[in-house]
Amino acid sequence: RGIVEIVGGDENTGRFFDIRRTQTLLDNVFVHHPGFPEDWDRWIDPATEGIPLYYGYTYITQAIAYQVAGDSAKAQQMLLKSEPFMELANKRRAPPAAGR
């Protein structure tokens, strides 16, 4: 009933994954302001730099779960949603100013 086994699941995915519950959380609970992450050019707060990764990995794992469940269209949709978060996660902090 919405729970799939991710064979070979790791610390990011886990072994069992609840597709329906996770989709509900993504759609209704873990919401974010418009423009996040698309309008952000970097993540500047070291204390919270994991936030974009949390979103990105959740969408990626949701994509894997949909793929396991046989829904490749939804899997692709989740992968597309993960990309801006993963890109932002890779743009941590501004580069140091010249001369520092």
Side-chain angles (χ1 to χ4, degrees):
R1 297 189 174 174
I3 297 177
V4 297
E5 181 177 6
I6 300 175
V7 177
D10 61 16
E11 66 274 0
N12 292 316
T13 66
R15 183 170 169 199
F16 295 97
F17 198 80
D18 189 331
I19 295 174
R20 291 180 190 152
R21 179 69 177 146
T22 303
Q23 195 63 57
T24 298
L25 291 170
L26 285 170
D27 292 342
N28 302 312
V29 178
F30 301 119
V31 295
H32 46 83
H33 295 285
F36 172 71
E38 297 85 1
D39 294 344
W40 292 45
D41 61 354
R42 66 187 186 281
W43 193 266
I44 61 169
D45 182 21
T48 61
E49 66 186 12
I51 290 174
L53 287 174
Y54 301 148
Y55 281 97
Y57 282 135
T58 303
Y59 279 113
I60 289 169
T61 306
Q62 186 74 332
I64 293 167
Y66 275 125
Q67 193 66 43
V68 168
D71 191 339
S72 58
K74 284 294 273 187
Q76 184 62 31
Q77 182 183 21
M78 295 298 107
L79 283 176
L80 289 173
K81 286 188 173 194
S82 77
E83 289 175 0
F85 290 104
M86 299 308 285
E87 288 174 14
L88 180 58
N90 289 323
K91 297 177 186 173
R92 294 184 187 125
R93 291 180 237 131
R100 289 190 181 182

Coordinates of all heavy atoms in Angstrom, one line a residue:
R1 N 0.8 -1.2 0.0 CA 0.0 0.0 0.0 C 0.9 1.3 0.0 O 0.8 2.0 0.9 CB -0.9 0.0 1.2 CG -1.9 -1.2 1.1 CD -2.9 -1.0 2.2 NE -3.9 -2.1 2.0 CZ -4.9 -2.4 2.7 NH1 -5.1 -1.7 3.8 NH2 -5.7 -3.3 2.4
G2 N 1.7 1.4 -1.0 CA 2.5 2.6 -1.2 C 3.9 2.4 -0.6 O 4.7 3.3 -0.8
I3 N 4.2 1.3 0.1 CA 5.5 1.1 0.6 C 6.3 0.2 -0.4 O 5.8 -0.9 -0.7 CB 5.5 0.5 2.0 CG1 4.8 1.6 3.0 CG2 6.9 0.2 2.5 CD1 4.7 1.1 4.4
V4 N 7.4 0.6 -0.8 CA 8.2 -0.2 -1.7 C 9.6 -0.5 -1.1 O 10.0 0.3 -0.2 CB 8.5 0.6 -3.1 CG1 7.1 0.8 -3.8 CG2 9.2 1.9 -2.9
E5 N 10.1 -1.6 -1.5 CA 11.5 -2.0 -1.1 C 12.5 -1.5 -2.1 O 12.4 -1.8 -3.3 CB 11.6 -3.5 -0.9 CG 12.9 -3.9 -0.4 CD 13.1 -5.4 -0.2 OE1 12.1 -6.1 -0.5 OE2 14.1 -5.8 0.4
I6 N 13.5 -0.7 -1.6 CA 14.6 -0.3 -2.4 C 15.7 -1.2 -2.1 O 16.4 -1.1 -1.1 CB 14.9 1.2 -2.1 CG1 13.7 2.1 -2.4 CG2 16.1 1.6 -3.0 CD1 13.9 3.5 -2.0
V7 N 15.9 -2.2 -3.0 CA 16.9 -3.2 -2.8 C 18.3 -2.5 -2.9 O 18.5 -1.7 -3.8 CB 16.8 -4.3 -3.9 CG1 17.9 -5.3 -3.8 CG2 15.5 -5.0 -3.8
G8 N 19.1 -2.7 -2.0 CA 20.4 -2.0 -1.9 C 20.3 -0.6 -1.4 O 21.2 0.2 -1.6
G9 N 19.2 -0.3 -0.8 CA 19.0 1.1 -0.2 C 20.2 1.4 0.7 O 20.7 0.6 1.4
D10 N 20.6 2.7 0.7 CA 21.7 3.1 1.6 C 21.2 4.1 2.6 O 20.0 4.2 2.9 CB 22.8 3.7 0.7 CG 22.3 5.0 -0.1 OD1 21.2 5.5 0.2 OD2 23.0 5.4 -1.1
E11 N 22.1 4.8 3.2 CA 21.8 5.8 4.3 C 20.9 6.9 3.8 O 20.2 7.6 4.6 CB 23.0 6.3 5.0 CG 23.9 7.2 4.1 CD 25.0 6.4 3.3 OE1 25.0 5.1 3.4 OE2 25.7 7.0 2.6
N12 N 20.9 7.2 2.5 CA 20.1 8.2 2.0 C 18.7 7.8 1.7 O 17.7 8.5 1.8 CB 20.7 8.8 0.7 CG 22.0 9.6 1.0 OD1 22.0 10.3 2.0 ND2 23.0 9.4 0.2
T13 N 18.5 6.5 1.2 CA 17.2 6.1 0.8 C 16.5 5.2 1.8 O 15.3 5.2 1.9 CB 17.3 5.2 -0.5 OG1 18.0 4.0 -0.2 CG2 17.9 6.0 -1.6
G14 N 17.3 4.5 2.6 CA 16.7 3.5 3.5 C 16.3 2.3 2.6 O 16.4 2.3 1.4
R15 N 15.8 1.2 3.2 CA 15.4 0.0 2.5 C 14.0 0.0 2.1 O 13.6 -0.4 1.0 CB 15.7 -1.2 3.3 CG 15.4 -2.5 2.6 CD 15.9 -3.7 3.3 NE 15.4 -4.9 2.7 CZ 15.3 -6.1 3.3 NH1 15.8 -6.2 4.5 NH2 14.8 -7.1 2.7
F16 N 13.1 0.6 3.0 CA 11.7 0.6 2.7 C 11.3 2.1 2.6 O 11.7 2.9 3.4 CB 10.9 -0.1 3.7 CG 11.2 -1.6 3.7 CD1 12.1 -2.2 4.6 CD2 10.6 -2.4 2.8 CE1 12.4 -3.5 4.6 CE2 10.8 -3.8 2.8 CZ 11.8 -4.3 3.6
F17 N 10.4 2.4 1.7 CA 10.0 3.8 1.4 C 8.5 3.9 1.2 O 8.0 3.1 0.4 CB 10.8 4.3 0.2 CG 10.9 5.8 0.1 CD1 11.8 6.5 0.9 CD2 10.1 6.5 -0.7 CE1 11.9 7.9 0.8 CE2 10.1 7.8 -0.8 CZ 11.0 8.5 -0.1
D18 N 7.9 4.8 1.8 CA 6.5 5.0 1.7 C 6.2 6.2 0.7 O 6.4 7.3 1.0 CB 5.9 5.4 3.1 CG 4.4 5.5 3.1 OD1 3.8 5.7 2.1 OD2 3.8 5.2 4.2
I19 N 5.9 5.8 -0.5 CA 5.7 6.7 -1.6 C 4.5 7.7 -1.3 O 4.7 8.9 -1.5 CB 5.4 6.0 -2.9 CG1 6.5 5.1 -3.4 CG2 5.0 7.0 -4.0 CD1 6.3 4.3 -4.6
R20 N 3.4 7.2 -0.9 CA 2.3 8.1 -0.7 C 2.5 9.1 0.5 O 2.2 10.3 0.3 CB 1.0 7.3 -0.3 CG 0.5 6.4 -1.5 CD -0.7 5.7 -1.1 NE -1.0 4.7 -2.1 CZ -1.6 3.6 -1.9 NH1 -2.0 3.2 -0.7 NH2 -1.9 2.8 -2.9
R21 N 3.0 8.6 1.6 CA 3.3 9.5 2.7 C 4.3 10.6 2.3 O 4.2 11.8 2.6 CB 3.8 8.7 3.9 CG 4.1 9.6 5.1 CD 2.8 10.2 5.7 NE 3.1 10.9 6.9 CZ 2.5 12.0 7.2 NH1 1.5 12.5 6.5 NH2 2.9 12.7 8.3
T22 N 5.4 10.2 1.6 CA 6.4 11.1 1.2 C 5.9 12.1 0.3 O 6.2 13.3 0.4 CB 7.6 10.4 0.7 OG1 8.1 9.4 1.6 CG2 8.7 11.3 0.3
Q23 N 5.0 11.7 -0.7 CA 4.5 12.7 -1.6 C 3.6 13.7 -0.9 O 3.6 14.9 -1.2 CB 3.7 11.9 -2.7 CG 3.4 12.8 -3.9 CD 4.7 13.3 -4.6 OE1 5.5 12.5 -5.1 NE2 4.9 14.6 -4.7
T24 N 2.8 13.2 0.1 CA 2.0 14.1 0.9 C 2.9 15.1 1.6 O 2.6 16.3 1.6 CB 1.1 13.3 1.9 OG1 0.3 12.5 1.1 CG2 0.4 14.2 2.8
L25 N 4.0 14.6 2.2 CA 4.9 15.5 2.9 C 5.5 16.5 1.9 O 5.6 17.7 2.2 CB 6.0 14.7 3.6 CG 5.5 13.9 4.8 CD1 6.6 13.0 5.2 CD2 5.1 14.8 5.9
L26 N 5.9 16.1 0.8 CA 6.5 17.0 -0.2 C 5.5 18.0 -0.7 O 5.9 19.2 -0.9 CB 7.1 16.2 -1.4 CG 8.4 15.5 -1.2 CD1 8.7 14.5 -2.4 CD2 9.5 16.4 -1.0
D27 N 4.3 17.6 -0.9 CA 3.3 18.5 -1.4 C 2.7 19.5 -0.4 O 2.3 20.6 -0.7 CB 2.2 17.7 -2.1 CG 2.6 17.0 -3.4 OD1 3.7 17.4 -3.9 OD2 1.9 16.1 -3.8
N28 N 2.6 19.0 0.9 CA 1.8 19.8 1.8 C 2.5 20.2 3.1 O 2.0 21.0 3.8 CB 0.6 18.9 2.2 CG -0.3 18.6 1.1 OD1 -0.6 19.4 0.2 ND2 -0.7 17.3 0.9
V29 N 3.6 19.6 3.4 CA 4.3 19.9 4.6 C 5.7 20.6 4.4 O 5.9 21.7 4.9 CB 4.5 18.6 5.5 CG1 5.3 19.0 6.8 CG2 3.2 18.0 5.8
F30 N 6.5 20.0 3.6 CA 7.8 20.5 3.4 C 7.8 21.5 2.2 O 8.5 21.4 1.2 CB 8.9 19.4 3.1 CG 9.0 18.5 4.3 CD1 8.7 17.1 4.1 CD2 9.3 18.9 5.5 CE1 8.8 16.3 5.2 CE2 9.4 18.1 6.6 CZ 9.1 16.7 6.4
V31 N 6.9 22.5 2.3 CA 6.8 23.5 1.3 C 7.8 24.6 1.5 O 8.3 24.8 2.6 CB 5.3 24.0 1.2 CG1 4.4 22.9 0.8 CG2 4.9 24.6 2.5
H32 N 8.1 25.4 0.5 CA 9.0 26.4 0.6 C 8.5 27.6 -0.2 O 7.6 27.6 -0.9 CB 10.4 26.0 0.0 CG 10.3 25.3 -1.3 ND1 10.2 25.9 -2.5 CD2 10.2 23.9 -1.6 CE1 10.1 25.0 -3.4 NE2 10.1 23.8 -2.9
H33 N 9.2 28.7 0.1 CA 8.8 30.0 -0.6 C 9.0 30.0 -2.1 O 10.0 29.3 -2.5 CB 9.6 31.2 0.1 CG 9.2 31.4 1.5 ND1 8.1 32.0 1.9 CD2 9.9 31.1 2.6 CE1 8.0 32.0 3.2 NE2 9.2 31.5 3.7
P34 N 8.2 30.7 -2.8 CA 8.5 30.8 -4.3 C 9.9 31.3 -4.5 O 10.3 32.2 -3.8 CB 7.4 31.7 -4.8 CG 6.3 31.7 -3.8 CD 7.0 31.4 -2.4
G35 N 10.6 30.8 -5.5 CA 11.9 31.3 -5.8 C 13.0 30.5 -5.2 O 14.2 30.6 -5.5
F36 N 12.6 29.6 -4.2 CA 13.6 28.7 -3.6 C 13.5 27.3 -4.2 O 12.4 26.8 -4.1 CB 13.4 28.7 -2.1 CG 14.3 27.6 -1.4 CD1 15.7 27.8 -1.3 CD2 13.8 26.5 -0.9 CE1 16.5 26.9 -0.7 CE2 14.6 25.5 -0.3 CZ 15.9 25.8 -0.2
P37 N 14.5 26.8 -4.8 CA 15.9 27.3 -4.8 C 16.2 28.0 -6.1 O 17.3 28.4 -6.3 CB 16.6 25.9 -4.7 CG 15.8 25.0 -5.5 CD 14.3 25.4 -5.2
E38 N 15.3 28.1 -7.0 CA 15.6 28.6 -8.4 C 16.3 29.9 -8.4 O 17.1 30.2 -9.3 CB 14.3 28.6 -9.3 CG 13.7 27.2 -9.5 CD 12.8 26.8 -8.4 OE1 12.6 27.5 -7.4 OE2 12.3 25.7 -8.5
D39 N 15.8 30.8 -7.6 CA 16.4 32.2 -7.6 C 17.6 32.4 -6.7 O 18.1 33.6 -6.7 CB 15.3 33.2 -7.2 CG 14.1 33.2 -8.2 OD1 14.3 32.7 -9.3 OD2 13.0 33.7 -7.8
W40 N 18.1 31.4 -6.1 CA 19.2 31.6 -5.2 C 20.5 31.2 -6.0 O 20.6 30.2 -6.7 CB 19.1 30.6 -4.0 CG 18.0 31.0 -3.1 CD1 16.7 31.3 -3.4 CD2 18.0 31.0 -1.7 NE1 16.0 31.5 -2.3 CE2 16.8 31.3 -1.2 CE3 19.0 30.7 -0.8 CZ2 16.5 31.4 0.2 CZ3 18.8 30.8 0.6 CH2 17.5 31.2 1.0
D41 N 21.5 32.1 -5.9 CA 22.8 31.9 -6.6 C 23.8 31.1 -5.7 O 24.8 30.7 -6.2 CB 23.3 33.2 -7.2 CG 23.7 34.2 -6.1 OD1 23.4 34.0 -4.9 OD2 24.3 35.2 -6.5
R42 N 23.6 31.0 -4.4 CA 24.5 30.3 -3.5 C 23.8 30.1 -2.2 O 22.8 30.8 -1.9 CB 25.8 31.0 -3.4 CG 25.7 32.3 -2.7 CD 27.1 33.0 -2.7 NE 27.1 34.2 -1.9 CZ 26.5 35.4 -2.2 NH1 26.0 35.5 -3.4 NH2 26.6 36.4 -1.4
W43 N 24.3 29.2 -1.4 CA 23.9 29.0 0.0 C 24.9 29.5 0.9 O 26.1 29.0 0.9 CB 23.6 27.5 0.2 CG 22.9 27.3 1.5 CD1 23.4 27.0 2.7 CD2 21.5 27.3 1.7 NE1 22.4 26.9 3.7 CE2 21.2 27.1 3.0 CE3 20.4 27.5 0.8 CZ2 19.9 27.0 3.5 CZ3 19.1 27.5 1.3 CH2 18.9 27.2 2.7
I44 N 24.6 30.6 1.7 CA 25.7 31.3 2.5 C 25.8 30.9 3.9 O 26.7 31.3 4.6 CB 25.5 32.8 2.3 CG1 24.2 33.2 2.9 CG2 25.7 33.2 0.9 CD1 24.1 34.7 3.0
D45 N 24.8 30.2 4.5 CA 24.8 29.9 5.9 C 25.4 28.5 6.2 O 24.7 27.5 5.9 CB 23.4 30.0 6.4 CG 23.3 29.8 7.9 OD1 24.3 29.9 8.6 OD2 22.2 29.4 8.4
P46 N 26.6 28.4 6.7 CA 27.2 27.1 6.9 C 26.4 26.2 7.9 O 26.4 25.0 7.8 CB 28.6 27.4 7.5 CG 28.8 28.8 7.3 CD 27.5 29.5 7.0
A47 N 25.7 26.9 8.9 CA 24.9 26.1 9.9 C 23.8 25.4 9.3 O 23.3 24.4 9.9 CB 24.5 27.0 11.0
T48 N 23.3 25.8 8.1 CA 22.1 25.2 7.6 C 22.3 24.7 6.1 O 21.4 24.5 5.4 CB 20.9 26.2 7.6 OG1 21.2 27.3 6.8 CG2 20.5 26.6 9.0
E49 N 23.6 24.5 5.8 CA 23.9 24.2 4.4 C 23.3 22.8 3.9 O 23.2 22.5 2.7 CB 25.3 24.3 4.1 CG 26.2 23.3 4.8 CD 27.7 23.5 4.6 OE1 28.1 24.6 4.1 OE2 28.5 22.6 4.9
G50 N 22.8 22.0 4.9 CA 22.2 20.7 4.5 C 20.8 20.9 4.0 O 20.3 19.9 3.4
I51 N 20.2 22.0 4.2 CA 18.8 22.1 3.8 C 18.5 21.8 2.3 O 17.6 21.0 2.0 CB 18.2 23.5 4.2 CG1 18.1 23.6 5.7 CG2 16.9 23.8 3.6 CD1 17.7 24.9 6.3
P52 N 19.2 22.4 1.4 CA 19.0 22.0 0.0 C 19.2 20.5 -0.3 O 18.4 20.0 -1.1 CB 20.0 22.9 -0.8 CG 20.4 24.0 0.1 CD 20.3 23.4 1.5
L53 N 20.1 19.9 0.4 CA 20.4 18.5 0.2 C 19.2 17.7 0.7 O 18.8 16.7 0.1 CB 21.6 18.1 1.0 CG 22.9 18.5 0.3 CD1 24.1 18.1 1.2 CD2 23.1 17.8 -1.0
Y54 N 18.6 18.1 1.8 CA 17.4 17.4 2.4 C 16.3 17.3 1.3 O 15.7 16.3 1.1 CB 16.9 18.0 3.6 CG 17.8 18.2 4.8 CD1 17.8 19.2 5.7 CD2 18.9 17.2 5.0 CE1 18.7 19.3 6.7 CE2 19.8 17.3 6.0 CZ 19.7 18.4 6.9 OH 20.5 18.5 7.9
Y55 N 16.0 18.5 0.7 CA 15.0 18.5 -0.3 C 15.4 17.6 -1.5 O 14.7 16.8 -2.1 CB 14.7 19.9 -0.8 CG 13.8 20.7 0.1 CD1 14.4 21.6 1.0 CD2 12.5 20.7 0.0 CE1 13.6 22.4 1.9 CE2 11.6 21.4 0.8 CZ 12.2 22.3 1.7 OH 11.4 23.0 2.5
G56 N 16.7 17.9 -2.0 CA 17.2 17.2 -3.2 C 17.1 15.7 -3.0 O 16.6 14.9 -3.8
Y57 N 17.7 15.2 -1.9 CA 17.7 13.7 -1.6 C 16.3 13.1 -1.5 O 16.0 12.0 -1.9 CB 18.6 13.4 -0.4 CG 20.0 13.4 -0.7 CD1 20.9 14.0 0.2 CD2 20.6 12.8 -1.8 CE1 22.3 14.1 -0.1 CE2 21.9 12.9 -2.1 CZ 22.8 13.5 -1.2 OH 24.1 13.5 -1.4
T58 N 15.4 13.9 -0.9 CA 14.0 13.4 -0.8 C 13.4 13.2 -2.1 O 12.7 12.2 -2.4 CB 13.2 14.3 0.1 OG1 13.9 14.4 1.4 CG2 11.8 13.8 0.3
Y59 N 13.6 14.2 -3.0 CA 13.0 14.1 -4.4 C 13.7 12.9 -5.1 O 13.0 12.2 -5.8 CB 13.1 15.4 -5.1 CG 12.1 16.4 -4.8 CD1 12.4 17.6 -4.2 CD2 10.7 16.2 -5.2 CE1 11.4 18.5 -3.9 CE2 9.8 17.1 -4.9 CZ 10.1 18.3 -4.2 OH 9.1 19.2 -3.9
I60 N 15.0 12.8 -5.0 CA 15.7 11.7 -5.6 C 15.2 10.3 -5.2 O 15.0 9.4 -5.9 CB 17.2 11.8 -5.5 CG1 17.7 13.0 -6.3 CG2 17.9 10.5 -5.9 CD1 19.2 13.4 -6.0
T61 N 15.1 10.2 -3.8 CA 14.6 8.9 -3.3 C 13.2 8.7 -3.7 O 12.8 7.5 -4.0 CB 14.7 8.9 -1.8 OG1 16.1 9.2 -1.4 CG2 14.4 7.5 -1.2
Q62 N 12.4 9.7 -3.8 CA 11.0 9.5 -4.3 C 11.0 9.1 -5.7 O 10.2 8.2 -6.1 CB 10.2 10.9 -4.1 CG 8.8 10.8 -4.5 CD 7.9 10.1 -3.4 OE1 8.4 9.2 -2.7 NE2 6.6 10.4 -3.4
A63 N 11.9 9.6 -6.5 CA 12.1 9.1 -7.9 C 12.4 7.7 -8.0 O 11.9 6.9 -8.8 CB 13.1 10.0 -8.6
I64 N 13.4 7.2 -7.1 CA 13.8 5.8 -7.1 C 12.6 5.0 -6.7 O 12.3 3.9 -7.3 CB 14.9 5.6 -6.1 CG1 16.2 6.3 -6.6 CG2 15.2 4.1 -5.8 CD1 17.3 6.4 -5.6
A65 N 11.8 5.4 -5.7 CA 10.6 4.6 -5.3 C 9.6 4.5 -6.4 O 9.0 3.4 -6.6 CB 10.0 5.3 -4.0
Y66 N 9.3 5.6 -7.1 CA 8.4 5.6 -8.2 C 8.9 4.6 -9.3 O 8.1 3.9 -9.9 CB 8.1 7.0 -8.8 CG 7.1 7.8 -8.1 CD1 7.3 9.0 -7.6 CD2 5.8 7.3 -7.9 CE1 6.4 9.8 -6.9 CE2 4.8 8.0 -7.3 CZ 5.1 9.2 -6.8 OH 4.1 10.0 -6.1
Q67 N 10.2 4.6 -9.5 CA 10.8 3.7 -10.5 C 10.6 2.3 -10.1 O 10.2 1.5 -10.9 CB 12.2 4.0 -10.7 CG 12.8 3.4 -12.0 CD 12.3 3.9 -13.3 OE1 12.1 5.2 -13.4 NE2 12.0 3.1 -14.2
V68 N 10.8 2.0 -8.9 CA 10.6 0.6 -8.3 C 9.1 0.2 -8.5 O 8.8 -0.9 -8.8 CB 11.1 0.5 -6.9 CG1 10.6 -0.8 -6.2 CG2 12.6 0.7 -6.8
A69 N 8.2 1.2 -8.3 CA 6.8 0.9 -8.4 C 6.3 0.9 -9.8 O 5.2 0.6 -10.1 CB 6.0 2.0 -7.6
G70 N 7.2 1.2 -10.8 CA 6.8 1.1 -12.2 C 6.3 2.3 -12.8 O 5.7 2.3 -13.9
D71 N 6.4 3.5 -12.1 CA 5.9 4.7 -12.6 C 7.0 5.6 -13.1 O 7.5 6.5 -12.3 CB 5.0 5.4 -11.6 CG 4.2 6.6 -12.1 OD1 4.6 7.1 -13.2 OD2 3.2 7.0 -11.5
S72 N 7.5 5.4 -14.3 CA 8.7 6.1 -14.7 C 8.4 7.6 -15.0 O 9.3 8.4 -14.9 CB 9.3 5.4 -16.0 OG 8.4 5.3 -17.0
A73 N 7.2 7.9 -15.3 CA 6.8 9.3 -15.6 C 6.9 10.1 -14.3 O 7.5 11.2 -14.3 CB 5.4 9.4 -16.2
K74 N 6.4 9.6 -13.2 CA 6.5 10.3 -11.9 C 8.0 10.3 -11.4 O 8.4 11.3 -10.8 CB 5.6 9.6 -10.8 CG 4.2 9.9 -11.0 CD 3.8 11.3 -10.7 CE 3.6 11.6 -9.3 NZ 3.2 13.0 -9.0
A75 N 8.7 9.2 -11.7 CA 10.1 9.2 -11.3 C 10.9 10.3 -12.0 O 11.6 11.0 -11.4 CB 10.7 7.8 -11.7
Q76 N 10.6 10.5 -13.3 CA 11.3 11.6 -14.0 C 10.9 13.0 -13.5 O 11.7 13.9 -13.3 CB 11.0 11.5 -15.5 CG 11.7 12.5 -16.4 CD 13.2 12.4 -16.3 OE1 13.7 11.3 -16.1 NE2 13.9 13.5 -16.4
Q77 N 9.6 13.1 -13.1 CA 9.1 14.4 -12.6 C 9.9 14.7 -11.3 O 10.3 15.8 -11.0 CB 7.6 14.3 -12.3 CG 7.0 15.5 -11.8 CD 5.5 15.3 -11.5 OE1 5.0 14.2 -11.4 NE2 4.8 16.4 -11.5
M78 N 10.0 13.7 -10.4 CA 10.7 13.9 -9.1 C 12.2 14.2 -9.3 O 12.8 15.1 -8.7 CB 10.6 12.7 -8.2 CG 9.2 12.4 -7.8 SD 8.4 13.7 -6.8 CE 7.2 14.4 -7.9
L79 N 12.8 13.6 -10.3 CA 14.2 13.9 -10.6 C 14.4 15.3 -11.1 O 15.3 16.0 -10.7 CB 14.8 12.9 -11.7 CG 15.2 11.5 -11.2 CD1 15.6 10.7 -12.4 CD2 16.2 11.6 -10.1
L80 N 13.5 15.8 -11.9 CA 13.5 17.2 -12.4 C 13.4 18.2 -11.2 O 14.0 19.2 -11.1 CB 12.5 17.4 -13.4 CG 12.7 16.8 -14.8 CD1 11.5 17.0 -15.7 CD2 14.0 17.3 -15.4
K81 N 12.5 17.8 -10.2 CA 12.3 18.7 -9.1 C 13.6 18.7 -8.2 O 13.8 19.6 -7.5 CB 11.1 18.2 -8.3 CG 9.8 18.6 -8.9 CD 8.6 18.3 -8.1 CE 7.4 18.9 -8.7 NZ 6.3 18.9 -7.8
S82 N 14.3 17.6 -8.2 CA 15.5 17.5 -7.3 C 16.7 18.4 -7.8 O 17.5 18.9 -7.0 CB 16.0 16.1 -7.2 OG 16.7 15.6 -8.4
E83 N 16.7 18.6 -9.1 CA 17.9 19.2 -9.7 C 18.2 20.6 -9.2 O 19.4 20.9 -8.9 CB 17.8 19.2 -11.3 CG 17.9 17.8 -11.9 CD 17.7 17.8 -13.4 OE1 17.4 18.9 -14.0 OE2 17.8 16.7 -13.9
P84 N 17.3 21.5 -9.1 CA 17.6 22.8 -8.6 C 18.1 22.8 -7.1 O 19.0 23.6 -6.7 CB 16.3 23.7 -8.7 CG 15.4 22.9 -9.4 CD 15.9 21.5 -9.5
F85 N 17.6 21.9 -6.3 CA 18.1 21.8 -4.9 C 19.5 21.2 -4.9 O 20.3 21.7 -4.1 CB 17.2 20.9 -4.1 CG 15.8 21.5 -3.9 CD1 14.7 21.0 -4.6 CD2 15.7 22.5 -2.9 CE1 13.5 21.6 -4.4 CE2 14.4 23.0 -2.7 CZ 13.3 22.6 -3.4
M86 N 19.8 20.3 -5.7 CA 21.2 19.7 -5.7 C 22.2 20.7 -6.3 O 23.3 20.8 -5.8 CB 21.2 18.4 -6.5 CG 20.3 17.3 -5.9 SD 20.6 17.0 -4.2 CE 22.1 16.1 -4.3
E87 N 21.7 21.5 -7.3 CA 22.6 22.5 -7.8 C 22.9 23.6 -6.7 O 24.1 24.0 -6.6 CB 22.0 23.2 -9.0 CG 22.0 22.3 -10.3 CD 21.2 22.9 -11.4 OE1 20.9 24.1 -11.4 OE2 20.9 22.1 -12.4
L88 N 21.9 24.0 -6.0 CA 22.1 25.0 -4.9 C 23.0 24.4 -3.8 O 23.9 25.1 -3.3 CB 20.8 25.4 -4.3 CG 20.8 26.4 -3.2 CD1 21.6 27.7 -3.6 CD2 19.4 26.8 -2.7
A89 N 22.8 23.1 -3.5 CA 23.6 22.5 -2.5 C 25.1 22.5 -2.9 O 26.0 22.6 -2.0 CB 23.2 21.1 -2.2
N90 N 25.4 22.5 -4.2 CA 26.8 22.5 -4.7 C 27.3 23.9 -4.8 O 28.5 24.0 -5.1 CB 26.8 21.7 -6.0 CG 26.6 20.3 -5.8 OD1 27.1 19.7 -4.9 ND2 26.0 19.6 -6.8
K91 N 26.5 24.9 -4.5 CA 27.0 26.3 -4.5 C 27.1 26.9 -3.1 O 26.6 27.9 -2.9 CB 26.0 27.1 -5.4 CG 25.9 26.7 -6.8 CD 24.9 27.6 -7.5 CE 24.6 27.2 -8.9 NZ 23.5 28.0 -9.5
R92 N 27.6 26.1 -2.2 CA 27.7 26.5 -0.8 C 28.6 27.7 -0.7 O 29.7 27.7 -1.2 CB 28.2 25.4 0.0 CG 27.3 24.3 0.1 CD 27.8 23.2 1.0 NE 26.9 22.1 0.9 CZ 27.3 20.8 0.6 NH1 28.6 20.6 0.5 NH2 26.5 19.8 0.6
R93 N 28.1 28.7 0.0 CA 28.9 29.9 0.4 C 29.5 30.6 -0.8 O 29.9 30.0 -1.7 CB 29.9 29.6 1.5 CG 29.3 29.2 2.8 CD 30.4 28.9 3.8 NE 30.1 27.6 4.3 CZ 31.0 26.6 4.4 NH1 32.2 26.9 4.1 NH2 30.7 25.4 4.8
A94 N 29.7 31.9 -0.6 CA 30.3 32.7 -1.7 C 31.8 32.4 -1.6 O 32.4 32.1 -0.6 CB 30.0 34.1 -1.4
P95 N 32.5 32.5 -2.8 CA 33.9 32.4 -2.7 C 34.5 33.5 -2.0 O 33.9 34.6 -1.9 CB 34.3 32.4 -4.2 CG 33.1 33.0 -4.9 CD 31.9 32.7 -4.1
P96 N 35.7 33.3 -1.3 CA 36.3 34.4 -0.6 C 36.6 35.6 -1.5 O 36.9 35.5 -2.6 CB 37.6 33.8 0.0 CG 37.7 32.5 -0.7 CD 36.5 32.1 -1.4
A97 N 36.5 36.8 -0.9 CA 36.8 38.0 -1.6 C 38.3 38.0 -2.0 O 39.1 37.4 -1.3 CB 36.4 39.2 -0.8
A98 N 38.6 38.7 -3.0 CA 40.0 38.8 -3.5 C 40.9 39.4 -2.4 O 40.4 40.4 -1.7 CB 40.1 39.6 -4.8
G99 N 42.0 38.9 -2.2 CA 42.9 39.5 -1.2 C 42.8 38.9 0.2 O 43.4 39.3 1.1
R100 N 41.8 38.0 0.4 CA 41.6 37.4 1.8 C 42.1 36.0 1.9 O 42.2 35.3 1.0 CB 40.1 37.4 2.1 CG 39.6 38.8 2.3 CD 38.2 38.7 2.9 NE 37.7 40.0 3.1 CZ 36.6 40.3 3.6 NH1 35.8 39.3 4.0 NH2 36.2 41.5 3.8

